[in-house]
Structures are given as structure tokens and as C-alpha cells.
Amino acid sequence: MITVYLTGISAYYEGEDIEIRYRIYNGEDLILKESLLKDYKKPAVVGPFALLTVLKELEKYQDDEITIIVNDPALNELIRGTSTTKNAGVLKMINMAKDRLNRFKNSIKIKDISNDKVELAKWDDILKP
């Protein structure tokens, strides 16, 4: 089973790079630890862009059961289709992410841990630089 811990960190000022951090585990074994700097994106699209970035990396694990753990309730709502946003950039990015999700043989579970203090502390510890 593949477990991915993911976060997208937006820039405070327009024009600054965003940071995408993710850790990929196979069971308890760390497979990949990445911290990427990408060109500026508006804060509203950082979560979906981070998801899209990690999905590209996960294509080589298509045969495995995959869980992506995030601390982003807005991203969770966007994926589930319960968000009421009308932001065209966000909707475009989430549609691209959904198309990429549909390419996987096995379904990918996206778990939002924002309300679980124990899981949130573990997530934070794993994603420290």
C-alpha cells in the first residue's frame, strides 16, 4: 500500500515561488522525499496544483492501492464535487486533476486529516523539511 503525505505552500507575495512537499511511503518504508519549488500560482489553485504534481509521480505505482493524506479541506471538497467555487482557474485545475485520477487502474483515496489532531501532528512531522 502506497501512502503519500502532501502539502502545497503558497507564496505570501505575488511572483514568489510556491513549494510542494510530498513524501511517498510503501508501508513503513520511505520511497521518495521531495520538496519542489514551482512558479507562482494563485493561492486558490496551489492545492489542486500540488495534487496534480504528485499524481504525475504516482503513475509508476498504478497497480498499488494509494492513499493521499492532505491537510486541506478545500481540496477535499473540490475533489468530492461539494465545493461551490466559481473560480475558473480552480475549476480548470481540479478538472485536470480529476482526469489524471481517472487514469489510475485502482482508485486513489484522498484523506483530509484537518480535524484529527493526532494524524495532523504526524503529517506535520513527516513533511518537515
Side-chain angles (χ1 to χ4, degrees):
M1 179 174 164
I2 303 294
T3 305
V4 180
Y5 294 86
L6 172 68
T7 189
I9 303 167
S10 61
Y12 292 110
Y13 302 103
E14 189 169 334
E16 287 186 355
D17 292 339
I18 64 168
E19 183 177 6
I20 299 171
R21 287 188 201 156
Y22 58 90
R23 311 294 185 254
I24 301 176
Y25 286 86
N26 187 355
E28 297 294 319
D29 301 326
L30 179 64
I31 298 173
L32 183 64
K33 179 179 180 178
E34 283 288 339
S35 291
L36 306 171
L37 292 176
K38 298 286 187 173
D39 288 336
Y40 174 79
K41 302 279 184 233
K42 292 187 177 185
V45 299
V46 170
F49 183 74
L51 178 62
L52 196 58
T53 302
V54 81
L55 288 174
K56 290 176 187 175
E57 185 66 41
L58 291 172
E59 286 180 352
K60 50 188 145 185
Y61 306 107
Q62 282 197 12
D63 296 330
D64 296 316
E65 186 178 323
I66 300 171
T67 302
I68 300 174
I69 300 175
V70 297
N71 176 21
D72 192 345
L75 177 63
N76 197 31
E77 283 185 2
L78 287 166
I79 291 293
R80 296 191 190 290
T82 59
S83 175
T84 58
T85 187
K86 303 243 187 299
N87 184 318
V90 172
L91 294 173
K92 180 180 175 185
M93 192 68 67
I94 205 65
N95 284 334
M96 290 168 49
K98 284 181 178 181
D99 288 344
R100 178 86 45 166
L101 279 167
N102 290 334
R103 292 183 196 167
F104 283 81
K105 296 175 187 171
N106 296 330
S107 65
I108 294 179
K109 180 180 174 187
I110 298 176
K111 181 179 176 186
D112 175 41
I113 49 106
S114 59
N115 292 324
D116 186 342
K117 289 183 181 180
V118 174
E119 283 290 320
L120 191 57
K122 179 181 175 184
W123 174 88
D124 189 44
D125 189 47
I126 288 173
L127 287 171
K128 284 185 179 173

